[in-house]
Amino acid sequence: MTTPFLHGKEGDIYESTSWPGLKLIQGERHLLLEAPSMMEGLSSAVFGGGMKPIRRVANIYVDRFYRCDDPERDISLLLQEWKYPQTETAGLLTAVQLRHAAVAEERTDDFAVFCCATAGVSNGARAGVKRTTFPASWTPGTINLMLVVDGKMTPAAMVNAIITATEAKAAALSDLGVLDAENGLTATGTTTDSVVLGVSQSAHWPLVHAYAGTATDIGGAVGRLVYAAVSESLRVAAEERR
C-alpha cells in the first residue's frame, strides 16, 4: 500500500497497518517514526548514524538557506526541545516540504516492511561519472528514506537491504526521467540523500533473513516499497507545483 502523508497538521498520526504499534507522527516541523520497541539500526543519519540501537527516527525540516556549520548540535538541541531520548533516536535534516512525504508498507508471513520517503530532485546527480565534488560537505537531505522492518535480519542482510533500497530509489528516478542538471545524464539519486534502516529482530518471527537482495522476498518488498514511496513523494510535489 502506498499513500501520501498529506496531513501537515501538528499532532496528526499515521498508524501502520503492517506493524502494530508503529506510528508516523507529524510534529513541530518534523516527522517522527516511532517503533513500539527498540530496533537494530543501520543508517547514514547525520545524528545517531552508523550501526546502533534506535527506537525512533526524526526527519526534520529546514529551509534551503539553513547554515549547516554543526548539524549534529542543531539536531541535538531540537531533540532536547521535543523531549526525545537522544540515545535512541536517529536524526535527519531535509529541505523537502514534509507535506510531500509518502508512505508504503507491506506485511507477509515472514516480515513486515514500512517505508516513508521525503523526496526532492532539485539537485539530482548521477553516481559513477565525473562531476563537481567537494572535499567534505553536508547539506539538508533531498531524498530521505525512513525504512523499518519488523522481522529478523543478519547484519549482512541489513547492508543488503540498504543496497536494494538505493537501487530502487535510482530506478524510480530513472523511470521518472530525473536528470543530473550538470551533465544531462539520468540521475541515480541526489547529492544529499540519506537512509535509516531499523529492524525489530523480534523473536516473534521464526525466519532469520540472511540476504535482502532483489531475488529474496524481503528484498523484493524493500525495493517495491522504496520505489513506490519515492515515486509518490515526487508525484505529490509535482502536483502541487502545477
Side-chain angles (χ1 to χ4, degrees):
M1 180 184 75
T2 311
T3 182
F5 186 65
L6 293 174
H7 301 292
K9 192 163 83 272
E10 189 174 339
D12 283 341
I13 299 174
Y14 177 98
E15 298 192 19
S16 171
T17 58
S18 62
W19 183 352
L22 181 72
K23 296 179 181 179
L24 181 65
I25 303 165
Q26 174 70 61
E28 179 189 351
R29 59 176 262 236
H30 71 280
L31 292 174
L32 181 74
L33 182 60
E34 187 167 52
S37 58
M38 291 294 289
M39 301 178 289
E40 225 172 85
L42 175 64
S43 81
S44 61
V46 65
F47 182 92
M51 195 158 195
K52 59 181 65 176
I54 56 172
R55 175 77 182 271
R56 59 191 62 77
V57 185
N59 192 13
I60 303 164
Y61 173 76
V62 293
D63 67 43
R64 61 192 179 93
F65 302 109
Y66 165 70
R67 284 195 58 181
C68 49
D69 300 330
D70 193 345
E72 288 188 72
R73 177 206 59 201
D74 294 346
I75 294 174
S76 176
L77 291 173
L78 287 170
L79 295 180
Q80 290 178 49
E81 179 183 333
W82 297 326
K83 297 181 171 54
Y84 299 149
Q86 297 191 38
T87 56
E88 301 176 2
T89 306
L92 305 169
L93 294 177
T94 181
V96 173
Q97 295 289 335
L98 297 179
R99 64 180 177 272
H100 299 160
V103 165
E105 57 180 325
E106 182 177 319
R107 185 181 180 90
T108 74
D109 292 338
D110 295 320
F111 57 83
V113 181
F114 178 102
C115 178
C116 175
T118 52
V121 290
S122 59
N123 58 337
R126 183 180 180 89
V129 298
K130 188 174 180 59
R131 70 182 321 280
T132 302
T133 57
F134 304 91
S137 64
W138 186 90
T139 54
T142 309
I143 299 179
N144 282 350
L145 299 176
M146 298 189 290
L147 179 66
V148 292
V149 175
D150 187 16
K152 291 162 74 174
M153 301 179 72
T154 65
M158 292 174 65
V159 174
N160 210 174
I162 296 285
I163 293 170
T164 300
T166 304
E167 291 175 350
K169 174 193 67 180
L173 298 188
S174 176
D175 288 351
L176 291 170
V178 178
L179 303 179
D180 183 326
E182 190 167 293
N183 52 44
L185 298 173
T186 300
T188 54
T190 82
T191 57
T192 58
D193 295 347
S194 193
V195 59
V196 176
L197 171 65
V199 181
S200 71
Q201 307 294 15
S202 171
H204 163 79
W205 302 97
L207 178 62
V208 179
H209 301 275
Y211 309 98
T214 51
T216 65
D217 291 339
I218 193 167
V222 166
R224 287 191 301 274
L225 298 178
V226 169
Y227 181 98
V230 169
S231 299
E232 178 67 10
S233 180
L234 292 173
R235 184 196 67 79
V236 170
E239 284 285 326
E240 186 176 285
R241 288 194 297 270
R242 289 176 188 166

